[in-house]
Amino acid sequence: MIGKTLTICRRELAGYFATPLAYVFIVIFLVLAGVLTFFVGDFFERGQADLQSFFTFHPWLYLVLIPAVSMRLWAEERKSGTIELFLTLPIRLSEAVLGKFVAAWIFVGIALALTFPFWLTVLFLGEPDNGVVAASYIGSWLMAGAILGIGAAVSAATKNQVIAFVVSAAIVFVLVAAGTPTVLGLFEGWAPQALIQAVSGASLFGHFTAITRGVIGLPDVFYFVSLTVGFLAANAVLIELTRAD
Amino acid sequence: MLEIRNLYKSFGRLVAVDDVSFTVGCGEVLGFLGPNGAGKSTTMKMATGFLPPTAGTAAICGHDIQRRPLAAKRQFGYLPEGAPAYPDMNVAGFLRFAAHIRGFRGAEAAAKIERIVDLVHLSEVFEQRIDTLSKGYRRRVGVAQALLHDPPVVILDEPTDGLDPNQKYEMRSIIAAMRPEKAIIISTHLLEEVEAVCSRAIIIARGRILADATPAELAARSRLHNAVRLDIAPENEGRIRADLAAVPGIAAIEDAGVGDGHALLIVPRDQKPIAPEIAELAEGRAWNIAGFAIERGRLDDVFRAITAPPNEAGRA
């Protein structure tokens, strides 16, 4: 089980770096993260040695960039016909789904790890709470996994990568936006507190923000993990269902 | 070793495969023949577990492809239609992936890869990316992947499509060489291929099996079976035709000249042998012929007669 998943994962990961995709993605990820942190996030003006203004934009960054990674996961195999080769190999569907997901997750993890100069910058400027930084990185990676899961499931349903990108970005947008003060403000004043909490509780933004405060709470981890697992299960079901045509 | 049981597949109202059953044993090369869209690829996709059948099933070495897919998938090698392969991998990486996924590691994997690279002649392009390969090489990479683990059942969807005549010849030699210890099924629409490598042929059209016989048996159904071809000098044609008119059992005498040559094709009635009579006549009347050949029958003739849509059957 593990062996074949790893074999698939390794092949996929090598696939990222065999094309310019990996390098383009990483460069754009780092540039955008920098622009958002320093120009939009008022990194210096805040006068605090922390990475708050860096992490706060991650949901928005992922909203655009992660569907760009996940869109090809299955749609490309379907388009090029390799899916027929892939699914007639002696592997379980779960191994196929997991292998692809883990490769994409590791790839995003590499991009995330390459943002370490931001951390070095705050280390140089002051004394950041490294516990908070570590928790935030872990939270960000968990959130990336959940978004990749969504993207993988959407990609399994189509052979058109553009459709896969747009649909996953739309789903992620709803999940991110639900927890922002702007959206919650719309409910404020008329909706019952329970509804507001439900909307905020369903949001990637809310759970991620909670972790970036420095506490990796069980409910938040559970939220991201169950979102990931749920969408990967949907991914497998969608492959089974769409195999027929 | 490969058993197809009452496979049936419909896409909405379109019936793609309609109650197809057959078995392929060890030492057999089954040619799966049919016009485009006849259901050849759909049958193969179901046999290999890619498409779920609407009804029926397939068993590979006794393992049901639907109930025990993993066990069944270990027993075959499959070249899907169009020979798909990951374009951004190189040949070495792709074959290594195939070896690992089949459970071979280290030296064993290397040995398997080396053997197959030798067998299908891939050493020249071993380090090359698959998307830079010619069509012929790409097809060979697909075949290499299918044969790497030396499976007892081999399923190849159009293995020689896009190959030049030399490569086709080579591919057929590879298939012929592994025939004794394997059950092989190849789909094709090239009739020469069936005659060259297949021990048995199934003709399928509109989702149904229309014929299941050896290539020789199929050819014998041709109206040209036992016909005699004479290469003659043009000035003798009238004389020869007059002599032949007296021979009983001749259905037609056709002009079969190609290029500069001048030839007659003498078609017997009911495919009965007429060569001895004609040979005797040719000698007795001094026809002065340059060539004499007995037709075994033409597969393409039979193929057209069998697979033509019902409304065209009369013309075919």
Side-chain angles (χ1 to χ4, degrees):
Chain A
M1 170 82 196
I2 304 279
K4 284 179 186 173
T5 308
L6 276 182
T7 299
I8 295 165
C9 176
R10 206 173 308 139
R11 195 210 73 73
E12 287 278 323
L13 206 51
Y16 288 105
F17 291 97
T19 61
L21 176 95
Y23 306 100
V24 170
F25 178 87
I26 289 174
V27 167
I28 290 187
F29 179 78
L30 296 178
V31 168
L32 279 181
V35 168
L36 291 172
T37 307
F38 295 114
F39 295 101
V40 187
D42 298 333
F43 176 76
F44 294 111
E45 288 79 352
R46 291 177 72 243
Q48 285 180 27
D50 63 22
L51 284 174
Q52 198 63 46
S53 50
F54 166 64
F55 284 113
T56 194
F57 291 106
H58 278 202
W60 304 106
L61 206 51
Y62 288 167
L63 160 64
V64 180
L65 290 181
I66 290 197
V69 173
S70 63
M71 66 181 189
R72 46 174 294 286
L73 281 177
W74 292 97
E76 195 177 42
E77 296 244 11
R78 219 182 266 284
K79 184 101 187 171
S80 68
T82 47
I83 191 165
E84 188 173 345
L85 180 82
F86 189 47
L87 294 182
T88 51
L89 292 172
I91 51 172
R92 290 188 183 85
L93 188 55
S94 54
E95 293 166 334
V97 169
L98 211 59
K100 275 179 176 288
F101 167 77
V102 171
W105 203 27
I106 290 175
F107 172 64
V108 175
I110 292 171
L112 187 60
L114 288 174
T115 61
F116 70 91
F118 291 90
W119 173 61
L120 293 182
T121 308
V122 287
L123 264 188
F124 175 74
L125 293 174
E127 285 174 12
D129 183 338
N130 285 324
V132 172
V133 172
S136 303
Y137 267 113
I138 292 171
S140 178
W141 197 42
L142 282 174
M143 178 170 65
I147 297 176
L148 277 174
I150 295 169
V154 173
S155 177
T158 175
K159 66 165 102 173
N160 187 319
Q161 297 196 32
V162 177
I163 291 178
F165 176 85
V166 172
V167 173
S168 2
I171 296 175
V172 176
F173 177 76
V174 170
L175 283 178
V176 172
T180 56
T182 322
V183 171
L184 290 178
L186 293 177
F187 289 89
E188 213 77 53
W190 62 271
Q193 199 58 34
L195 180 66
I196 296 177
Q197 262 171 6
V199 171
S200 150
S203 156
L204 286 163
F205 197 85
H207 289 283
F208 176 62
T209 312
I211 292 180
T212 55
R213 290 195 193 108
V215 185
I216 305 182
L218 203 56
D220 303 317
V221 173
F222 181 76
Y223 169 81
F224 287 124
V225 171
S226 53
L227 205 59
T228 310
V229 172
F231 273 99
L232 288 183
N235 181 349
V237 170
L238 281 166
I239 292 289
E240 277 300 346
L241 286 179
T242 51
R243 211 184 258 214
D245 39 51
Chain B
M1 288 210 274
L2 170 67
E3 198 183 347
I4 305 284
R5 293 187 212 123
N6 306 99
L7 275 182
Y8 182 93
K9 179 79 192 175
S10 60
F11 298 101
R13 280 163 60 203
L14 176 85
V15 177
V17 173
D18 189 358
D19 197 23
V20 165
S21 299
F22 60 85
T23 58
V24 188
C26 191
E28 267 194 292
V29 179
L30 174 71
F32 209 41
L33 277 171
N36 290 328
K40 301 187 296 275
S41 291
T42 309
T43 303
M44 289 184 157
K45 284 180 214 274
M46 288 192 284
T48 53
F50 179 65
L51 272 187
T54 311
T57 192
I60 288 128
C61 299
H63 305 294
D64 189 298
I65 188 72
Q66 294 186 79
R67 268 177 290 166
R68 306 199 51 207
L70 273 191
K73 284 174 179 176
R74 273 188 209 111
Q75 304 298 327
F76 66 74
Y78 176 40
L79 173 74
E81 188 181 15
Y86 295 104
D88 46 28
M89 293 182 96
N90 65 11
V91 176
F94 181 64
L95 292 180
R96 215 169 292 134
F97 168 67
H100 288 169
I101 214 86
R102 301 272 179 195
F104 303 115
R105 298 269 174 238
E108 198 186 7
K112 294 272 178 198
I113 292 169
E114 199 185 319
R115 184 190 73 93
I116 205 68
V117 164
D118 269 0
L119 185 69
V120 300
H121 306 293
L122 283 173
S123 50
E124 267 173 58
V125 296
F126 194 57
E127 298 293 340
Q128 216 166 307
R129 267 170 66 114
I130 289 172
D131 59 359
T132 66
L133 296 181
S134 69
K135 216 174 162 189
Y137 269 123
R138 221 176 286 192
R139 184 107 354 200
R140 282 195 254 176
V141 169
V143 172
Q145 159 278 128
L147 299 180
L148 181 110
H149 51 298
D150 205 11
V153 174
V154 176
I155 301 172
L156 306 173
D157 201 344
E158 301 191 341
T160 60
D161 189 44
L163 301 190
D164 68 34
N166 293 333
Q167 296 167 333
K168 275 184 188 158
Y169 176 79
E170 214 174 81
M171 188 64 75
R172 287 170 194 161
S173 314
I174 293 169
I175 293 171
M178 66 186 180
R179 177 178 155 184
E181 67 257 25
K182 293 188 194 307
I184 303 169
I185 164 166
I186 63 172
S187 85
T188 179
H189 44 243
L190 301 175
L191 295 156
E192 50 180 284
E193 191 147 295
V194 176
E195 288 183 306
V197 293
C198 297
S199 59
R200 196 174 132 210
I202 283 182
I203 297 180
I204 177 174
R206 295 176 297 283
R208 287 171 190 244
I209 292 183
L210 299 177
D212 182 349
T214 66
E217 282 164 3
L218 281 178
R221 294 192 198 176
S222 161
R223 85 193 167 86
L224 295 178
H225 181 56
N226 281 331
V228 172
R229 184 192 154 96
L230 296 178
D231 295 329
I232 56 171
E235 61 271 20
N236 289 336
E237 182 176 347
R239 184 160 71 87
I240 293 171
R241 276 183 184 269
D243 288 343
L244 282 171
V247 180
I250 291 176
I253 300 171
E254 290 167 12
D255 200 358
V258 181
D260 296 338
H262 203 73
L264 291 179
L265 191 62
I266 304 158
V267 184
R269 208 167 280 146
D270 303 325
Q271 300 152 322
K272 293 223 172 66
I274 47 165
E277 286 104 308
I278 293 173
E280 208 173 297
L281 208 58
E283 205 168 87
R285 303 288 179 94
W287 284 351
N288 205 7
I289 54 179
F292 183 99
I294 303 171
E295 286 273 350
R296 283 180 300 130
R298 293 185 190 164
L299 268 184
D300 57 349
D301 239 23
V302 180
F303 180 80
R304 263 187 298 136
I306 293 178
T307 60
N311 54 339
E312 284 176 31
R315 274 185 277 151

